[in-house]
Amino acid sequence: MKRIGQFIYSWGNGHYSRMMSLNDELPNYIKGEYEVHYSSKEEIYQKLLKKFPDKKQNIHEVLMPTPIDGKYGPSIFASMLNLLLPISGKPPLVKQVSSCLRKEAKLFDTIGFDLVINDGDMGPNVLAKNRKVKSIFVTNQFMPKFWKSHFYFYPGAVFIAKQIAKATKIIVADSPPPYTICEYNLNFPNKIKEKVVYSGHFASNKERSTKVKTDFEKLIENTDFGYWMRTGNKSTNALTGKKYEEVFRVEEVKNEKRIISHALNDPSIDRVLGKDGKVYSISDALEKKIDWVQIDVGFLTEEEKETTLEFCNYAVINGSHTVMGEIIGIKGKPIIGMPVYDEQTNQIRWVQEHKLGIGAKSKKQVIGAILEIRKDHAKFEESIQRFKENFVPNGAQTAAKIVAQMLEDKR
């Protein structure tokens, strides 16, 4: 039986969602029996346990080093101190790295992987190369450009790029050039380009189910609004929400209809704010035909997300790569990008240059972007249509084919 290791970085949800999309496709391409072992930590580790309750013996907790959360977003100061000092219950980074590599090395030696697939965790690339095991690194960044004020990230980025380059194959989860959203985060040197494959986005492009519509879907149908997405880990989600609330208080857009998805499986978040200033449940707002201005939803089902993207006029996001691909490439809607990290800034800059959306770092810029899209939505439509025609959504299928080929190839 062939054994595959999936090492999933736990910072954010994008790594997990990509691997689960790939996981769904593997049975369609791998010949014969195989088993998958999953490794991650914290929230992603818990998601894996919940998703695969009958495979707990194949789910491994590995304490991969991640940035230290601040109140809003990662704390750069605390994370840098953590290089040499224990911070927030985390040992010094040097100790974390060595401990993580020892645990991962033990998995390699006890399980005997035929292939490892790494999304965000570059340590297994090194371990695989040393053991002559084939490895795939799935990514949307290699050597990103940094804000001028973040020049001190450069040495670390160079080190990480060198470890990524040790993979047997690097799969970029994006459309091939010149339609590559993450172009400014790649910058591959010529010597490794032969191992790079642009697979396409690991985007959801499934047929909609015909199940009965929810009250939420009925409430928002045939309504013009903006879709404001809160995504990422806990601190990033909180920072994004704080920025959104600052915008909603400004007079110019106070009555701009909006739906905020919180990406938290918490029904207590669900509520509707009417233009009368009162708060209603979603069902009551539908029954009473409330003229609403804001709907907060903890967690949208796939069908509800599809309906939201179908009727929204634009989507406001922090620059998440997978989400950006789905919104622009599949749904054909412009985005307003409010970045938290450098790599998100790079992707939003690319989108803006190609007239697929607008970047906005300040409250004033966000308001200006909303008004611009409202005033001249048509100017984005031609560029978005051209991008949609060249958008490659089947990255998971392409990656699964590569996995199957590498397992069959004995060389």
Side-chain angles (χ1 to χ4, degrees):
M1 179 185 292
K2 295 183 172 93
R3 292 176 174 82
I4 300 171
Q6 288 188 12
F7 292 83
I8 307 169
Y9 195 56
S10 61
W11 186 260
N13 196 58
H15 306 288
Y16 171 80
S17 62
R18 278 201 301 240
M19 283 294 94
M20 293 306 100
S21 295
L22 172 59
N23 211 61
D24 290 342
E25 296 295 336
L26 291 178
N28 299 326
Y29 298 98
I30 297 178
K31 298 175 182 177
E33 293 186 357
Y34 71 95
E35 67 176 20
V36 181
H37 287 257
Y38 309 91
S39 299
S40 195
K41 74 171 185 177
E42 296 173 348
E43 182 182 352
I44 303 304
Y45 174 70
Q46 295 301 324
K47 283 186 174 183
L48 289 165
L49 290 174
K50 186 175 180 179
K51 185 174 180 66
F52 304 110
D54 58 337
K55 296 181 181 178
K56 291 184 178 180
Q57 72 279 7
N58 286 12
I59 300 172
H60 311 280
E61 186 175 24
V62 175
L63 302 181
M64 305 165 181
T66 53
I68 294 175
D69 269 346
K71 185 176 181 181
Y72 297 113
S75 170
I76 294 174
F77 179 71
S79 296
M80 293 187 72
L81 282 180
N82 191 223
L83 286 170
L84 299 173
L85 299 172
I87 301 289
S88 300
K90 291 187 177 184
L93 186 60
V94 174
K95 188 174 181 180
Q96 288 183 61
V97 171
S98 61
S99 176
C100 174
L101 288 174
R102 281 197 301 271
K103 178 67 182 287
E104 290 177 335
K106 186 176 179 180
L107 291 176
F108 270 81
D109 297 336
T110 57
I111 295 169
F113 295 124
D114 296 285
L115 173 73
V116 292
I117 308 167
N118 314 313
D119 197 318
D121 182 12
M122 71 279 183
N125 293 341
V126 182
L127 296 170
K129 185 174 183 179
N130 292 343
R131 289 162 174 76
K132 296 182 170 30
V133 174
K134 296 171 187 175
S135 62
I136 294 173
F137 193 81
V138 182
T139 189
N140 58 286
Q141 59 179 295
F142 179 77
M143 188 66 202
K145 295 181 179 179
F146 293 110
W147 303 345
K148 288 182 179 179
S149 59
H150 290 173
F151 67 91
Y152 45 82
F153 286 157
Y154 184 76
V158 171
F159 174 78
I160 290 171
K162 286 181 179 179
Q163 311 318 309
I164 293 174
K166 292 176 181 177
T168 311
K169 188 78 68 178
I170 298 172
I171 294 179
V172 178
D174 207 330
S175 300
Y179 299 98
T180 311
I181 290 176
C182 63
E183 176 185 351
Y184 298 144
N185 287 326
L186 298 177
N187 305 303
F188 292 116
N190 289 330
K191 63 182 178 181
I192 71 164
K193 285 184 177 178
E194 63 180 13
K195 65 170 68 177
V196 175
V197 176
Y198 290 83
S199 65
H201 289 254
F202 286 49
S204 175
N205 195 20
K206 298 177 181 177
E207 291 289 327
R208 279 205 59 175
S209 68
T210 55
K211 64 181 288 186
V212 177
K213 293 174 182 175
T214 64
D215 285 351
F216 170 81
E217 290 178 279
K218 294 175 184 176
L219 182 62
I220 70 171
E221 278 188 328
N222 300 309
T223 306
D224 190 353
F225 56 85
Y227 178 29
W228 299 65
M229 300 181 69
R230 293 175 58 163
T231 57
N233 64 303
K234 185 177 179 180
S235 63
T236 303
N237 190 314
L239 175 59
T240 303
K242 182 173 182 286
K243 288 182 176 181
Y244 289 175
E245 291 298 330
E246 290 173 354
V247 173
F248 300 153
R249 289 193 287 267
V250 176
E251 190 65 33
E252 293 100 311
V253 295
K254 188 169 65 174
N255 291 317
E256 174 82 7
K257 285 193 172 183
R258 61 227 178 213
I259 292 174
I260 303 100
S261 62
H262 291 245
L264 297 171
N265 197 4
D266 181 1
S268 68
I269 293 172
D270 299 359
R271 68 169 201 158
V272 178
L273 175 64
K275 286 190 175 178
D276 58 6
K278 296 179 181 178
V279 175
Y280 303 85
S281 70
I282 290 173
S283 296
D284 283 348
L286 175 65
E287 182 181 345
K288 296 175 181 178
K289 298 181 179 179
I290 298 300
D291 187 11
W292 55 271
V293 65
Q294 178 170 320
I295 303 177
D296 289 89
V297 183
F299 183 79
L300 292 174
T301 65
E302 282 301 314
E303 290 78 12
E304 289 173 336
K305 186 176 81 169
E306 290 289 311
T307 301
T308 304
L309 286 170
E310 181 179 344
F311 289 106
C312 74
N313 187 265
Y314 57 86
V316 185
I317 62 175
N318 61 18
S320 167
H321 181 257
T322 301
V323 170
M324 197 179 294
E326 290 180 347
I327 293 172
I328 306 171
I330 295 178
K331 297 302 178 183
K333 300 298 174 78
I335 63 116
I336 296 174
M338 299 176 65
V340 177
Y341 309 117
D342 298 58
E343 63 268 19
Q344 293 171 342
T345 302
N346 292 338
Q347 286 159 180
I348 292 167
R349 173 188 158 201
W350 189 95
V351 163
Q352 180 162 301
E353 288 177 357
H354 290 78
K355 298 181 175 60
L356 306 171
I358 302 173
K361 290 186 178 180
S362 68
K363 178 172 63 176
K364 183 178 179 180
Q365 288 173 341
V366 177
I367 295 163
I370 294 171
L371 298 177
E372 183 177 344
I373 288 175
R374 284 292 183 196
K375 181 181 178 182
D376 195 5
H377 196 276
K379 84 173 188 178
F380 297 97
E381 291 176 355
E382 183 179 349
S383 298
I384 289 174
Q385 184 57 37
R386 184 167 57 251
F387 181 79
K388 280 186 68 176
E389 290 170 357
N390 293 278
F391 179 77
V392 181
N394 56 346
Q397 293 94 315
T398 301
K401 290 177 186 177
I402 292 171
V403 170
Q405 289 167 358
M406 291 177 69
L407 285 173
E408 290 297 317
D409 186 358
K410 301 298 182 183
R411 291 175 297 173

